[in-house]
Amino acid sequence: MDEVFDVMIIGAGAAGLTAGIYSSRAKHSTLILNEGAVGGQMVLTNEIANYPGVETTQGYVLANTMKKQAKEFGCKIKSNISIKEYQLNGPVKSVELKDGRKFSAKTAILTPGGMPRALNIPGEIEFKGKGISYCATCDGDFFEGKEIAVIGGGNSALEEAVSLTKYASKVTIIHQFDHFQAFEHAIQEAKSNPKIEFIMESELRAFEGTESLKKVKMEHLPSGKMSELDFDGVFIFVGYMPNTGSIKNIVKLNDRQEILVDEDKQTNIPGVYAAGDCIPKKYRQVTTAVADGTIAALSASTYLREIG
Ligand SMILES: Cc1cc2nc3c(=O)[nH]c(=O)nc-3n(C[C@H](O)[C@H](O)[C@H](O)COP(=O)(O)OP(=O)(O)OC[C@H]3O[C@@H](n4cnc5c(N)ncnc54)[C@H](O)[C@@H]3O)c2cc1C
């Protein structure tokens, strides 16, 4: 019979690798299965400057260090896999890959992460990290004294626009509707900030630049009139997409497609935990993913002790 691991982790981003470090260090046989490159969003991040104890580093370097640490404790990692089927109920949790391989464990930790929603317009991929950002906490200070735009009209967009005024000389909020979908206090805070201007009923159509972003093409929706505006940076806050499509009928999700967990990070299925950007939370950072991964691994460890 194939090996039944103690812990099977789905996703090797910051949350999954941390869970792998804790589980394998606790001498639980641990397997991480990862769809893409190990490291998740960390490897998409040029510079990480806010991970405590680590001076500014490139995302892939931090990811590789976490991977090495997990492997040194005995954690097995299989990347570039694709899961076809999940069986997470019952005492043995198992998955079948598209290539036919099957893996099982006594507990499972789901850490599939997610991605900020993109606008999907020309130039967005080209200038991502070169003027286009999806994270004010991560990239705000690169725009000290610059003129930037914030795209979106929800709480995140308005709150992050206010926080970006600490760095930028001017922040223009561009929103597709004539009203915001945010709490009144967030709207008032943005409106009363002298550094913030608003362009309503408008959508970006393209990003343009040379080495880095220089300008955007924008359509005023009621008139259809196109214009060009110069910005040093554009922050996009139009929603977040957890990578939970493949498990939506397996564990309980909320209406934002995030995996519901209790304070021990346990899902609705006993012995199945979730951690990182895929669970409901306000702040999605490497530090918060690492914290969730820690809790999930320690909870799985307690569960393993209890089932004997
Ligand atoms: C451009 C950018 C810049 C950022 N900058 C910073 C920063 O400077 N500082 C900071 O603290 N945070 C930053 N963040 C946020 C931070 O990177 C994330 O919050 C954190 O890395 C999330 O970790 P995670 O493990 O929850 O998920 P992820 O990093 O998303 O990892 C999930 C992993 O699971 C895999 N996966 C998904 N579905 C499956 C499946 N079905 N089966 C198997 N594997 C699967 C994915 O391929 C991925 O490898 C940034 C994010 C972005 C996008």
Side-chain angles (χ1 to χ4, degrees):
M1 190 182 148
D2 289 338
E3 178 180 6
V4 176
F5 287 86
D6 291 324
V7 182
M8 178 165 58
I9 298 163
I10 312 293
L17 289 170
T18 303
I21 290 168
Y22 272 78
S23 292
S24 49
R25 187 158 187 254
K27 305 235 176 281
H28 300 307
S29 59
T30 305
L31 170 71
I32 305 183
L33 296 171
N34 189 62
E35 211 162 58
V38 170
Q41 293 172 67
M42 281 188 291
V43 294
L44 304 177
T45 309
N46 194 24
E47 263 186 27
I48 296 185
N50 51 10
Y51 191 75
V54 176
E55 288 181 358
T56 302
T57 183
Q58 286 165 298
Y60 80 89
V61 174
L62 187 58
N64 277 341
T65 309
M66 289 186 189
K67 175 182 167 184
K68 186 165 165 269
Q69 213 176 342
K71 286 182 111 170
E72 277 171 3
F73 288 126
C75 183
K76 296 208 168 96
I77 302 177
K78 295 190 189 298
S79 48
N80 296 313
I81 56 88
S82 185
I83 298 176
K84 188 173 81 181
E85 211 175 297
Y86 295 82
Q87 293 288 345
L88 299 183
N89 284 304
V92 176
K93 326 290 179 194
S94 56
V95 296
E96 183 176 348
L97 307 190
K98 285 198 178 140
D99 64 14
R101 283 180 292 166
K102 289 182 186 162
F103 296 99
S104 27
K106 295 176 195 161
T107 64
I109 301 176
L110 308 173
T111 54
M115 285 301 285
R117 205 184 285 270
L119 295 178
N120 293 316
I121 59 172
E124 188 169 8
I125 294 171
E126 192 183 341
F127 295 111
K128 186 172 170 178
K130 295 176 188 160
I132 298 179
S133 171
Y134 303 83
C135 178
T137 313
C138 317
D139 299 330
D141 74 337
F142 300 135
F143 296 92
E144 188 78 54
K146 311 257 186 193
E147 295 201 4
I148 61 171
V150 162
I151 313 304
N155 286 310
S156 295
L158 296 182
E159 286 171 13
E160 300 296 21
V162 170
S163 84
L164 284 163
T165 60
K166 284 196 297 258
Y167 311 104
S169 56
K170 184 177 151 195
V171 177
T172 303
I173 297 178
I174 301 174
H175 185 41
Q176 61 187 162
F177 301 125
D178 63 356
H179 60 280
F180 294 109
Q181 302 108 314
F183 294 130
E184 195 48 38
H185 67 82
I187 299 171
Q188 287 318 320
E189 205 186 342
K191 283 191 171 167
S192 61
N193 190 309
K195 281 187 172 180
I196 297 182
E197 288 186 3
F198 301 88
I199 297 178
M200 306 301 283
E201 297 185 87
S202 299
E203 282 183 356
L204 296 198
R205 292 289 172 244
F207 294 101
E208 291 183 355
T210 48
E211 299 280 281
S212 61
L213 178 74
K214 295 272 178 268
K215 61 183 175 191
V216 299
K217 282 194 169 154
M218 189 181 71
E219 181 179 349
H220 179 244
L221 297 174
S223 64
K225 199 172 150 231
M226 294 294 296
S227 57
E228 289 188 356
L229 298 171
D230 292 346
F231 290 114
D232 300 303
V234 174
F235 285 77
I236 300 170
F237 301 109
V238 294
Y240 188 82
M241 292 280 294
N243 289 327
T244 52
S246 62
I247 42 174
K248 66 171 189 262
N249 299 320
I250 316 281
V251 286
K252 224 180 231 169
L253 308 182
N254 65 12
D255 57 6
R256 290 201 296 262
Q257 307 306 304
E258 299 155 333
I259 304 172
L260 288 168
V261 288
D262 64 15
E263 64 180 40
D264 294 331
K265 310 296 173 211
Q266 183 166 273
T267 67
N268 61 307
I269 304 177
V272 178
Y273 302 84
D277 279 12
C278 63
I279 65 172
K281 60 160 85 172
K282 191 163 175 188
Y283 302 113
R284 291 187 158 93
Q285 290 286 284
V286 177
T287 48
T288 58
V290 159
D292 294 342
T294 306
I295 297 168
L298 294 175
S299 303
S301 194
T302 303
Y303 174 87
L304 286 167
R305 239 187 354 262
E306 283 169 2
I307 60 170

